[in-house]
């Protein structure tokens, strides 16, 4: 059974704290993604990684950084948490697809982060 | 740049009836894939159905079918014989094969409510 696991389901942090969200996948996927989900805005891509130590900015990277030291683990870092980063964070992984065939993304259960 | 539009924030349907959830997309890449995901209130993202841009036939998976109209750039999800368990958020997503660099971009979602 394929699995993407996020380290926390719920997290409460204070403004200004450095926050780490961890994601681990056991499917040997090359690609990993971090999204944030807000009502009315859908899922917005923060960062993604297509290989170990490789990363690309998504649509809303400001205030975030990422780390991928091992293939199975992709971390999202909030350098100095702010209240506008209160959101649901979803991690996903997927194999590399260079053709038109289906390469669905598998998602973790999500981390609901509240910054107070 | 790839873009997904879901114009229906919410939809209501009675049990056992069919419902169509709209999705339009924009891309200049001739090779792309379209996905639909379901997100129940528990939060997990469940993959439903996939359509490749070169697929000759509309995709079907059980009660789910995708009404793919390439010229109109639409990929509507049709759920036949709705069930109470179909109540959830539904997201349309797209991946460009040649230019999207493995990115999966989502729409804002449609909340479906199935009534008895």
């Amino acid at each position: 059974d394929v699995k993407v696991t996020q380290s926390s389901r719920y997290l409460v942090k204070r403004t200004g704290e450095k926050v780490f969200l961890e994601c681990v996948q056991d499917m040997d996927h090359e690609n990993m993604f971090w999204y944030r989900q807000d009502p009315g805005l859908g899922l917005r891509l923060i960062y993604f990684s297509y290989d170990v130590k490789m990363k690309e900015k998504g649509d809303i990277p400001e205030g975030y950084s990422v780390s991928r030291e091992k293939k199975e683990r992709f971390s999202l870092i909030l350098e100095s948490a702010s209240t506008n980063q209160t959101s649901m964070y979803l991690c996903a992984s997927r194999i590399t697809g260079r053709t038109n065939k289906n390469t669905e993304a598998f998602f973790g259960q999500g981390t609901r982060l509240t910054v107070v | 740049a790839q873009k997904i539009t879901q114009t229906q924030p919410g939809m209501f349907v009675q049990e056992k009836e069919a419902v169509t959830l709209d999705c339009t997309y924009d891309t200049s890449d001739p090779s792309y894939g379209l996905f639909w995901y379901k997100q129940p209130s528990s939060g997990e993202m469940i993959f439903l159905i996939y359509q490749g841009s070169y697929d000759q036939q509309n995709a079907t998976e059980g009660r789910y079918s995708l009404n793919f109209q390439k010229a109109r750039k639409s990929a509507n999800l049709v759920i036949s014989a709705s069930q109470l368990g179909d109540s959830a958020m539904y997201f349309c997503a797209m991946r460009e094969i040649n230019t999207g660099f493995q990115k999966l971009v989502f729409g804002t979602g449609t909340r479906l409510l199935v009534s008895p």
Side-chain angles (χ1 to χ4, degrees):
Chain A
D1 207 16
V2 297
K3 213 161 187 180
V4 179
T5 304
Q6 294 182 228
S7 53
S8 304
R9 193 73 196 264
Y10 299 94
L11 214 50
V12 180
K13 295 291 181 181
R14 295 196 181 278
T15 303
E17 273 193 80
K18 190 169 186 175
V19 181
F20 293 85
L21 302 184
E22 307 284 348
C23 176
V24 177
Q25 51 99 359
D26 65 358
M27 295 165 283
D28 203 36
H29 287 168
E30 300 90 353
N31 305 287
M32 296 187 75
F33 307 82
W34 275 107
Y35 294 88
R36 67 175 280 176
Q37 181 180 1
D38 301 287
L41 298 178
L43 277 71
R44 293 180 292 166
L45 183 62
I46 305 171
Y47 266 97
F48 66 102
S49 168
Y50 54 91
D51 203 349
V52 176
K53 296 191 188 295
M54 307 303 288
K55 60 186 178 185
E56 289 287 334
K57 291 180 181 179
D59 299 316
I60 51 164
E62 298 78 18
Y64 304 94
S65 62
V66 290
S67 171
R68 190 152 180 219
E69 295 297 317
K70 293 185 177 181
K71 192 174 185 180
E72 67 270 19
R73 186 180 297 269
F74 191 36
S75 303
L76 179 70
I77 303 154
L78 287 65
E79 296 290 343
S80 177
S82 64
T83 54
N84 63 13
Q85 292 178 310
T86 291
S87 186
M88 169 71 88
Y89 290 87
L90 290 163
C91 173
S93 75
R94 203 186 73 231
I95 61 169
T96 294
R98 303 195 193 287
T99 71
N100 205 235
K101 298 302 178 188
N102 181 18
T103 53
E104 66 182 271
F106 295 87
F107 283 82
Q109 77 276 29
T111 296
R112 187 165 293 282
L113 172 68
T114 302
V115 182
V116 297
Chain B
Q2 57 195 112
K3 188 177 177 182
I4 291 281
T5 302
Q6 294 179 256
T7 57
Q8 306 157 313
M11 288 286 285
F12 293 89
V13 67
Q14 270 203 308
E15 206 176 359
K16 297 178 186 172
E17 307 231 321
V19 63
T20 298
L21 306 183
D22 293 342
C23 173
T24 58
Y25 59 92
D26 190 24
T27 179
S28 55
D29 191 336
S31 183
Y32 53 89
L34 295 154
F35 304 77
W36 276 93
Y37 282 84
K38 171 185 178 181
Q39 187 182 46
S41 56
S42 52
E44 76 267 34
M45 294 285 282
I46 302 167
F47 166 73
L48 294 178
I49 197 167
Y50 173 82
Q51 180 84 44
S53 59
Y54 298 131
D55 293 344
Q56 294 297 311
Q57 295 190 335
N58 286 347
T60 59
E61 289 286 349
R63 293 186 299 111
Y64 304 109
S65 61
L66 206 152
N67 184 1
F68 181 47
Q69 297 188 46
K70 199 169 179 177
R72 297 180 63 184
K73 292 190 174 178
S74 74
N76 299 338
L77 177 71
V78 180
I79 306 174
S80 63
S82 298
Q83 302 172 355
L84 295 178
D86 293 335
S87 293
M89 281 291 289
Y90 288 81
F91 291 98
C92 180
M94 179 175 70
R95 180 173 82 90
E96 294 173 332
I97 309 300
N98 296 317
T99 58
F101 202 59
Q102 307 301 328
K103 277 173 59 173
L104 188 62
V105 175
F106 285 80
T108 53
T110 296
R111 183 172 296 281
L112 177 66
L113 188 60
V114 181
S115 60

